[in-house]
């Protein structure tokens, strides 16, 4: 995409984000927020209105009814984006060709799907994430299967008894599972009961289980417990993880793959300790 086109797309995203965060806004307020002229903002608002993303109101605009969920998902996807992309790179390097892999519906795992789209390797991919499935639509070398179930619009995911029943008949070589929160008790948490139940089920149906979470998720809590971190084989996180949590992961007996923001995999702290002992 040409630079002008990229700037336009970025500005449209910025306008949507501003309206989601601030509610109905005047054209002047939007222009100030995105650093564009009034004429440019008026043209952008017309495009967004034609797409059904916003409603024009007298002297300004607001998010269209029904689109706030989509914008909220996009907002989460853009949080800590550099770290998420670095984690996705480490996960991509761990993929096994000709294997079966499950990608959950988390925004960090979505970045892995984007890499798989750009550089596909032969895989059977299973997912409960609509955004993940859409990203991998018609990608050569990939066979994509989407779980059935109840649509959870907040995360664009499929959950519930039907999805869990389908998992019972499947086995995966690798699982890449995001986390809403990782509590001080050393457990993975989710904001939704059905999502937590399905995620716990995923962990029982996979040979190699990767939990993917940027450092901001550690030491936080959400409502529903998924499983202890010890239910995973590898924690993939970034170099902003605190020394306290690095020690905790070692104490829990879970391998940690720590990645710097540039995407370079750093040594597992446990490996460093073994090297010193040798």
């Amino acid at each position: 995409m040409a630079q002008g086109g990229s700037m336009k797309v970025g500005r449209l995203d910025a306008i949507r984000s501003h309206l989601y965060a601030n509610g109905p806004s005047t054209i002047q307020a939007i222009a100030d927020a995105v650093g564009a002229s009034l004429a440019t903002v008026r043209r952008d608002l017309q495009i967004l209105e034609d797409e059904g993303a916003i409603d024009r109101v007298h002297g300004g605009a607001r998010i269209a009814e029904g689109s706030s969920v989509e914008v909220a998902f996009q907002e989460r996807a853009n949080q800590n984006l550099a770290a998420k992309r670095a984690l996705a790179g480490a996960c991509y390097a761990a993929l096994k060709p000709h294997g079966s892999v499950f990608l959950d519906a988390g925004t960090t795992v979505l970045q892995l799907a984007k890499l798989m789209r750009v550089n596909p390797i032969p895989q059977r991919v299973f997912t409960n994430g609509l955004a993940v499935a859409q990203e991998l639509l018609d990608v050569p070398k990939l066979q994509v299967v989407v779980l059935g179930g109840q649509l959870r619009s907040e995360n664009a995911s499929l959950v519930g008894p039907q999805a869990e029943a389908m998992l019972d008949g499947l086995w995966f070589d690798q699982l890449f599972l995001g986390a809403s929160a990782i509590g001080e008790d050393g457990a993975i948490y989710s904001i939704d009961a059905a999502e937590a139940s399905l995620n716990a089920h995923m962990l029982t149906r996979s040979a190699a289980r990767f939990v993917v979470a940027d450092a901001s998720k550690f030491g936080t809590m959400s409502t529903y417990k998924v499983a202890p971190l010890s239910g995973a084989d590898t924690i993939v996180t970034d170099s902003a993880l605190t020394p306290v949590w690095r020690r905790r992961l070692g104490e829990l007996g879970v391998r940690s793959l720590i990645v710097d923001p540039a995407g370079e995999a750093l040594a597992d702290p446990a490996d460093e300790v073994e090297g010193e002992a040798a």
Side-chain angles (χ1 to χ4, degrees), residues 3 35 44 69 85 104 130 162 183 193 201 203 224 244 262 265 272:
Q3 183 177 2
D44 289 343
V69 168
R85 286 174 173 167
D104 94 317
L130 296 184
Q162 297 94 336
H201 214 66
L203 289 164
Y224 300 97
V244 171
E272 293 177 359

Side-chain angles (χ1 to χ4, degrees), residues 191-271:
I191 62 174
D192 181 78
E195 195 97 49
S197 179
L198 184 64
N199 289 350
H201 214 66
M202 293 173 192
L203 289 164
T204 69
R205 306 302 303 165
S206 306
R209 298 156 295 183
F210 295 79
V211 172
V212 190
D214 66 76
S216 70
K217 303 292 180 63
F218 287 77
T220 64
M221 290 295 294
S222 201
T223 306
Y224 300 97
K225 185 175 180 179
V226 175
L229 273 177
S230 56
D233 300 296
T234 304
I235 307 299
V236 186
T237 188
D238 63 273
S239 55
L241 190 68
T242 66
V244 171
W245 267 106
R246 295 187 190 209
R247 288 194 298 271
R248 285 286 309 281
L249 292 178
E251 292 166 359
L252 291 169
V254 181
R255 178 176 181 265
S256 56
L257 179 57
I258 299 177
V259 183
D260 72 12
E264 179 183 353
L266 306 177
D268 183 337
D271 293 339

Side-chain angles (χ1 to χ4, degrees), residues 4-70:
S6 298
M7 291 176 62
K8 180 179 179 180
V9 171
R11 197 170 60 244
L12 295 177
D13 287 343
I15 291 172
R16 285 156 51 100
S17 296
H18 171 81
L19 292 175
Y20 176 75
N22 297 281
S25 300
T26 65
I27 294 177
Q28 184 64 62
I30 297 168
D32 292 341
V34 303
S37 69
L38 294 177
T40 296
V41 168
R42 288 191 181 96
R43 288 194 296 269
D44 289 343
L45 292 177
Q46 185 62 57
I47 293 170
L48 290 170
E49 185 178 38
D50 292 343
E51 293 176 350
I54 67 156
D55 290 327
R56 300 288 291 274
V57 296
H58 181 68
R62 66 185 179 191
I63 288 290
E65 290 186 13
S67 65
S68 60
V69 168
E70 177 191 353

Side-chain angles (χ1 to χ4, degrees), residues 93-225:
L95 286 172
K96 296 179 179 179
H98 305 286
S100 59
V101 58
F102 194 99
L103 306 182
D104 94 317
T107 57
T108 303
V109 176
L110 178 60
Q111 294 300 319
L112 172 58
K114 290 178 182 292
L115 276 180
M116 295 171 70
R117 180 177 183 83
V118 174
N119 296 301
I121 58 176
Q123 291 277 348
R124 295 186 307 278
V125 182
F126 297 78
T127 185
N128 70 316
L130 296 184
V132 170
Q134 185 174 21
E135 194 68 39
L136 299 179
L137 184 67
D138 291 332
V139 176
K141 302 181 182 179
L142 299 183
Q143 300 175 21
V144 181
V145 178
V146 182
L147 295 190
Q150 179 181 351
L151 177 61
R152 180 175 174 252
S153 57
E154 292 85 355
N155 209 32
S157 60
L158 294 159
V159 297
Q162 297 94 336
E164 293 185 25
M166 188 171 177
L167 280 180
D168 284 335
L170 298 169
W171 181 257
F172 312 108
D173 296 314
Q174 295 175 297
L175 164 68
F176 294 91
L177 174 67
S180 298
I182 296 176
E184 294 291 350
D185 60 350
I188 307 162
Y189 284 84
S190 174
I191 62 174
D192 181 78
E195 195 97 49
S197 179
L198 184 64
N199 289 350
H201 214 66
M202 293 173 192
L203 289 164
T204 69
R205 306 302 303 165
S206 306
R209 298 156 295 183
F210 295 79
V211 172
V212 190
D214 66 76
S216 70
K217 303 292 180 63
F218 287 77
T220 64
M221 290 295 294
S222 201
T223 306
Y224 300 97
K225 185 175 180 179

